[in-house]
């Protein structure tokens, strides 16, 4: 399956999900039956969004059509999407984030930058593979140096490494946040290989991840407080920052600045 078809299928699934979540009363529509207060019909969505029923149906059928930004913006307002969800919808429709044409390398300059930082920092590839880290991060999470390279992926470790789970006092909230952030970064999984890569692998290993992934929640991966229960230092707090190297736009530098 090519990248375009994979993107269209995810667009269709995302629209169906958000249509099912929509509150009828907020659009001035009566309940369906005796108790159905959520969920809009395709005809209702088309009318409220100002598009034809046939056109909207094609979107949910993953037809090979190109929705305009105006149509996607209208659907975004209709479904009351958050800014992150709106950006995700636009990317699925071909008007937002796209995978870079190049695969950046872990250059000596990036290695020097990591080593120069006194606080924990690591470098992520588009699929969230951890390709580099500094000594401070190795002290925070000692297993990073010994884990197999094939398993050195942030998404994989969050859901399969018991030690990392124990280090996160708020694991349930953090794990959901990670999944939402990974989905929002379409370049990391919405590729020609579809979900046959890291998503399929983690889904097979973790029923918890598989269930969360199917919910299709989207979240930002921005600056926020991160708390760890370190086996030696006890409870430690950091402020997480996500940076994109100018010379490597498909990589992400995560740094944990002390609070």
């Amino acid at each position: 399956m090519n990248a375009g078809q994979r993107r269209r299928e995810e667009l269709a699934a995302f629209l169906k999900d958000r249509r099912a979540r929509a509150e009828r009363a907020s659009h001035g529509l009566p309940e369906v039956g005796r108790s159905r207060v959520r969920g809009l019909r395709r005809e209702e969505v088309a009318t409220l969004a100002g598009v034809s029923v046939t056109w909207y149906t094609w979107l949910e059928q993953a037809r090979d059509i190109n929705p305009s930004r105006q149509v996607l913006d209208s659907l975004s307002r209709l479904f009351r999407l958050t800014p992150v969800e709106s950006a995700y919808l636009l990317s699925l429709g071909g008007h937002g984030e796209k995978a870079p044409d190049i695969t950046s390398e872990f250059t000596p300059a990036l290695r020097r930058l990591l080593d120069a930082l006194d606080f924990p920092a690591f470098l992520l590839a588009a699929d969230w593979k951890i390709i580099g880290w500094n000594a401070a991060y190795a002290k925070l999470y000692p297993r990073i140096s010994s884990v197999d390279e094939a398993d050195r992926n942030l998404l994989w470790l969050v859901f399969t490494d018991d030690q990392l789970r124990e280090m996160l006092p708020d694991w349930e909230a953090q794990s959901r946040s990670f999944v939402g952030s990974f989905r929002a970064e379409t370049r990391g999984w919405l590729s020609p290989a579809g979900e046959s890569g890291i998503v399929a692998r983690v889904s097979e290993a973790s029923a918890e991840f598989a269930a969360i992934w199917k919910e299709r929640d989207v979240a930002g991966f921005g600056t926020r407080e991160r708390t760890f229960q370190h086996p030696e230092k006890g409870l430690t707090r950091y402020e997480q920052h996500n940076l994109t190297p100018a010379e490597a736009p498909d990589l992400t530098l995560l740094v944990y600045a002390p609070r």
Side-chain angles (χ1 to χ4, degrees), residues 41 176 232:
R41 298 187 178 94
R176 284 185 170 276
E232 297 178 359

Side-chain angles (χ1 to χ4, degrees), residues 211-232:
I212 296 173
W213 184 256
K214 289 180 180 179
E215 293 175 5
R216 286 191 162 79
D217 284 335
V218 183
F221 198 11
T223 300
R224 64 178 185 270
E225 183 181 82
R226 293 296 307 278
T227 304
F228 298 93
Q229 185 64 47
H230 194 272
E232 297 178 359

Side-chain angles (χ1 to χ4, degrees), residues 55-117:
W55 178 257
Y56 181 76
T57 300
W58 284 351
L59 286 179
E60 287 201 0
Q61 291 176 343
R63 296 284 189 94
D64 189 4
I65 57 177
N66 298 310
S68 68
R69 187 184 183 101
Q70 181 180 5
V71 168
L72 296 178
D73 284 340
S74 179
L75 291 172
S76 178
R77 291 190 295 271
L78 172 62
F79 293 139
R80 311 288 203 272
L81 300 185
T82 66
V84 175
E85 290 173 328
S86 296
Y88 181 66
L89 179 64
L90 288 173
S91 71
L92 295 178
H95 298 282
E97 178 188 4
K98 296 182 179 179
D101 295 330
I102 61 172
T103 300
S104 300
E105 297 180 354
F106 184 26
T107 63
L110 289 174
R111 175 74 271 173
R112 290 192 294 271
L113 174 61
L114 278 175
D115 291 340
L117 298 175

Side-chain angles (χ1 to χ4, degrees), residues 236-257:
T236 57
R237 289 184 172 86
Y238 297 92
E239 188 172 76
Q240 175 183 296
H241 296 268
N242 297 18
L243 309 174
T244 301
E247 73 276 20
D250 59 332
L251 302 182
T252 301
L253 177 64
L254 271 72
V255 297
Y256 293 151

